Amino acid sequence: MREVIVIDPLVMYVLVYVDELGFRGFNSPTSYDGFDENVAMDIIDEQIEEANQGDFLSYQDIQNDMERYKQNQQDIINEQGLMLKRVQQWHENLRPILEEEEKRTEFDIHEYGTRLLNCFKSIGEQKTFKELIELVGGSAQVEVSRYFLSTLMMTNTYNLKLTKSSDGEMIIELLKKERHHEELQVNIGNQVNQEPK
């Protein structure tokens, strides 16, 4: 950043005079016997010329910098306003979705899995996923997603086996009805009861 130098000729005259002759109190410079006004003015002219050749901002440069600063600040304010509008619009779009979600029943993956397992009568029985959804009455999109997630989890715990039919339909086969999480709870309960006191 460049320095701003403002030179007042009267102040420069006094400063040069004091610098050249040494400070002798607050008497008028004209009362000093050795004062030469021409020498002082030459010194002032040299100082002004040196200052003018230095790296400083003119009034116009400062004014231009201030205008750029104001424009930059205005751009920031405009951008923040647009950002605030986008956030408000996002909130307005999300609010109905969240309100709808609050109305839905809580998702218990084990409960959904139990409903699916109850659709099967015997081990080895096969049904399509569409048949299962019709049996449990979960035709809503959110319910289909929940049942599908539960199906995947029970496939992972070897309750169900997933295969694909020749026409691309998902076939679900019952492997066992014992639930993995229930077996874990029973085993943990037995271990707690068997610990010596």
Side-chain angles (χ1 to χ4, degrees), residues 62-93:
I62 294 169
Q63 192 174 19
N64 290 340
D65 285 348
M66 290 303 295
E67 289 300 321
R68 282 192 298 271
Y69 175 78
K70 284 185 210 175
Q71 183 60 43
N72 188 33
Q73 292 301 312
Q74 189 62 42
D75 291 345
I76 290 171
I77 291 169
N78 292 341
E79 186 177 323
Q80 288 175 345
L82 291 173
M83 191 180 313
L84 180 63
K85 285 180 184 177
R86 285 194 308 262
V87 169
Q88 287 173 341
Q89 184 180 13
W90 179 75
H91 279 281
E92 289 171 9
N93 292 339

Side-chain angles (χ1 to χ4, degrees), residues 39-193:
V39 172
M41 288 308 291
D42 289 341
I43 293 172
I44 291 173
D45 289 340
E46 288 175 22
Q47 294 286 335
I48 291 172
E49 195 172 314
E50 287 176 15
N52 285 336
Q53 292 174 358
D55 189 21
F56 71 96
L57 293 173
S58 68
Y59 175 77
Q60 186 64 36
D61 292 338
I62 294 169
Q63 192 174 19
N64 290 340
D65 285 348
M66 290 303 295
E67 289 300 321
R68 282 192 298 271
Y69 175 78
K70 284 185 210 175
Q71 183 60 43
N72 188 33
Q73 292 301 312
Q74 189 62 42
D75 291 345
I76 290 171
I77 291 169
N78 292 341
E79 186 177 323
Q80 288 175 345
L82 291 173
M83 191 180 313
L84 180 63
K85 285 180 184 177
R86 285 194 308 262
V87 169
Q88 287 173 341
Q89 184 180 13
W90 179 75
H91 279 281
E92 289 171 9
N93 292 339
L94 191 60
R95 187 173 291 114
I97 295 169
L98 292 175
E99 288 171 356
E100 184 65 31
E101 183 63 33
E102 288 292 321
K103 294 176 186 175
R104 295 184 183 132
T105 59
E106 187 175 315
F107 176 52
D108 180 358
I109 196 164
H110 299 303
E111 176 62 33
Y112 278 76
T114 301
R115 290 181 200 159
L116 286 172
L117 290 178
N118 289 338
C119 293
F120 292 97
K121 294 180 180 151
S122 63
I123 293 177
E125 184 180 357
Q126 294 182 350
K127 295 186 184 289
T128 65
F129 186 69
K130 286 182 182 179
E131 291 172 339
L132 284 175
I133 294 302
E134 289 172 4
L135 287 172
V136 294
S139 60
Q141 185 178 3
V142 66
E143 292 294 310
V144 172
S145 300
R146 289 175 174 189
Y147 281 114
F148 185 70
L149 180 61
S150 182
T151 301
L152 293 176
M153 187 205 67
M154 288 190 300
T155 301
N156 193 41
T157 58
Y158 300 106
N159 290 92
L160 301 175
K161 179 181 178 183
L162 296 178
T163 55
K164 184 177 173 183
S165 69
S166 59
D167 60 349
E169 190 74 34
M170 184 169 62
I171 305 294
I172 302 171
E173 180 183 348
L174 178 64
L175 298 178
K176 66 177 183 174
K177 281 201 171 192
E178 296 81 25
R179 303 296 302 276
H180 183 71
H181 70 281
E182 292 170 354
E183 291 175 357
L184 282 175
Q185 288 175 347
V186 169
N187 290 337
I188 291 172
N190 289 339
Q191 288 177 357
V192 169
N193 291 336

